[in-house]
Each structure stands twice: as structure tokens, then as C-alpha cells.
Amino acid sequence: MADPAEVTPGAAGTTPAEARHHELSHKLAAVRERMAQACRQAGRRNGDVHLVTVTKFFPAADVERLVRLGVGDIGESRDQEASAKMVELGERLALDGRSLPRVHFVGQVQTNKARSVVRYADVVHSVDRTRLVRSLDRATAAALDAGERTAYLKVLVQLDLEEGEHAGRGGVLPDGALALAAEVAECAHLSLRGVMAVAPPGLEPDGLRRAFDRVRACAQLVRADHPDATWVSAGMSGDLEQAVAAGATHLRVGSAILGHRPDPR
Ligand SMILES: *Cc1c(COP(=O)(O)O)cnc(C)c1O
């Protein structure tokens, strides 16, 4: 994973690292402005919508730059990449006494990776099946015992918004969300915080609105049973305005801040 600062030439008079810092600073400010504008239009308070900067495929050097720019929450989606990156980031930040950002795991979790994920993740957004609930609960208990973490794992139930032939690629169908939420709530080491969804790609504005309205409706049902489950994780680089309009509390934004993801191969 190359540091983009080493492959992007800097403008005249700046080093590549300074240029990358400025680029991230500029794009982060632009996303924060989009969020503020979306909140104004939806009549919501700025402080009610949180930004998770998705840093998957980008190196620890970029995450360090983001932390220096005030980013406190990052998102990752692959355990192997994230666990190595967090070790490197910890070493880099320790040099000047900064602490690690909160890590939101937003990708599919294989049950055999649960024990690794709970070493560094504060939140798992993508819980979609009973077996994973049990694995994460056991893994969190073990990590607490081993002194690898001090807090319960926050968990969101991922909703599957795809319809017809595309359904079933991740997430639980909205009908099953209440049952899965109840299973999470019964686990001693998990803390149910709400729901998460990814809008199906290629939707027209109307379809997008309908998709996010289903998320809102499902989130309300879950919250009726579990008053602490107040988070609605929805909205990415391309659709954050629509997500804010539909009540999202957490946006997961990657490419609008970091640029196009490098080819992982
Ligand atoms: C990669 C990813 C994002 C960020 O997507 P962008 O379109 O780059 O903002 C958000 N959520 C999930 C689950 C992701 O995997």
C-alpha cells in the first residue's frame, strides 16, 4: 500500500507530503460543508450527524494525516488490512502522544475473524446473522479478559436494501432486523446501537429516497424495542445528502475525502 504522498508530485514549493495534507484538508472541509448544508436543508442540528472517514485501501500515513486534521472516527472493511494498519498507526501516533481514532468496522465480518476485529474495533456496523452475533460476543469477552479492550463492542444491525435477485448479499432483510436486534441485546458483551445500510448502487433519486425511508422506518422499529439503539449509519460519498434528509446519524465517507481507491491488487 503506497503512501499517495510518494506517488503524487507536490505543487511548486511544497513537498509531496505537504501537498497530500492540503488535499485531505481541503476535501475534508468540503465534506463537512456538504454535511452542514444537508443538515440546514433537513432542519437538523449539525451535531446530530457524525462523520466516519472510510480509509480502506489507504495507508496508515493518510490516517495519521486525517487524525492531525481532527478526524476521530475512521472506517475499515477488511480485517487483514485494518489490523496491520492499526499497529502501524499506533506506532506513528505514539511518537507525539496522540491517541488512536475510533475504528468502525464496516465490511463483512467472517466469523473466524471476529477475535481479530475486536482487538481494534470500537463499533461493528455490519452484523447480519446469528452466528456472527455469537462469535462477536465471545470474542469481545475474550478481548476484555485479555486486557485488549476496555469497553463492550458497539454493534449495528446491517439491513439488506436490495430487492429481488440481488437480495441476500449482506445484511438482514428488514423483516428479520427486529429478531437479530433482540439477539444482540441479549449478549452480555455487545451493546446494540442501531442499524446500518448501504443503498443499492445506481438508484435514481426517487429510489434512493425510498431506500433510505425503509432504513428510517426500520430504525424506528428497532428503537421502539431498544431505546439506546439510536444510530442510523447510512450515506456515503455519493448520497450523504439524501441520507441526512432521511435521518442518518452516521455517514461513512471514503472517496470524497481520500480520492479514488487504489487498486487493491
Ligand atoms: C467503502 C465503503 C464506504 C465508503 O464509500 P465511498 O463511496 O467511497 O464514500 C461506505 N460504506 C461501506 C460499507 C463501504 O464499504
Side-chain angles (χ1 to χ4, degrees):
M1 215 184 309
D3 179 357
E6 280 157 21
V7 292
T8 322
T14 59
T15 66
E18 285 166 348
R20 181 64 174 161
H21 178 90
H22 285 131
E23 181 189 3
L24 291 176
S25 164
H26 178 81
K27 288 185 168 158
L28 186 62
V31 165
R32 291 205 188 281
E33 181 47 42
R34 279 175 68 190
M35 290 170 63
Q37 173 84 21
C39 284
R40 274 195 297 279
Q41 283 194 348
R44 301 183 57 196
R45 286 184 310 176
N46 252 339
D48 292 346
V49 181
H50 304 274
L51 175 64
V52 176
T53 303
V54 179
T55 51
K56 66 183 182 207
F57 297 180
F58 286 92
D62 270 346
V63 187
E64 183 186 6
R65 292 181 183 107
L66 290 164
V67 170
R68 290 178 189 281
L69 289 166
V71 166
D73 291 272
I74 64 157
E76 287 287 336
S77 67
R78 297 187 304 180
D79 172 60
Q80 204 181 359
E81 173 189 339
S83 54
K85 198 184 295 185
M86 289 313 125
V87 170
E88 185 185 343
L89 183 66
E91 287 164 1
R92 285 168 169 270
L93 293 175
L95 293 178
D96 47 16
R98 286 174 191 265
S99 44
L100 283 163
R102 283 179 292 271
V103 178
H104 299 244
F105 198 89
V106 302
Q108 292 238 343
V109 188
Q110 293 165 268
T111 45
N112 64 349
K113 297 291 170 62
R115 185 66 182 88
S116 174
V117 168
V118 302
R119 289 203 176 90
Y120 57 84
D122 292 273
V123 193
V124 172
H125 286 228
S126 41
V127 170
D128 61 357
R129 56 199 192 279
T130 300
R131 233 184 110 215
L132 179 59
V133 171
R134 301 220 176 101
S135 301
L136 287 172
D137 187 46
R138 273 196 305 271
T140 304
L144 286 162
D145 267 354
E148 294 164 354
R149 60 181 301 129
T150 55
Y152 296 147
L153 184 72
K154 298 185 185 72
V155 159
L156 305 181
V157 169
Q158 180 175 356
L159 308 176
D160 183 359
L161 298 178
E162 301 273 5
E163 285 171 273
E165 58 183 306
H166 295 298
R169 282 207 210 141
V172 61
L173 289 171
D175 285 350
L178 275 181
L180 195 63
E183 287 174 21
V184 173
E186 277 167 19
C187 289
H189 310 93
L190 304 181
S191 159
L192 177 71
R193 296 314 313 272
V195 301
M196 176 274 215
V198 180
L203 289 184
E204 300 293 318
D206 267 2
L208 203 52
R209 196 167 322 119
R210 273 199 304 275
F212 284 139
D213 281 346
R214 290 168 71 203
V215 178
R216 188 209 298 258
C218 191
Q220 280 167 353
L221 286 178
V222 170
R223 195 161 60 229
D225 284 356
H226 309 278
D228 291 337
T230 55
W231 294 19
V232 181
S233 167
M236 320 199 295
S237 292
D239 56 19
L240 71 87
E241 284 81 5
Q242 289 87 345
V244 169
T249 62
H250 290 70
L251 309 176
R252 309 175 309 267
V253 179
S255 49
I257 295 171
L258 287 125
H260 285 296
R261 282 183 276 281
D263 192 322
R265 277 153 295 168

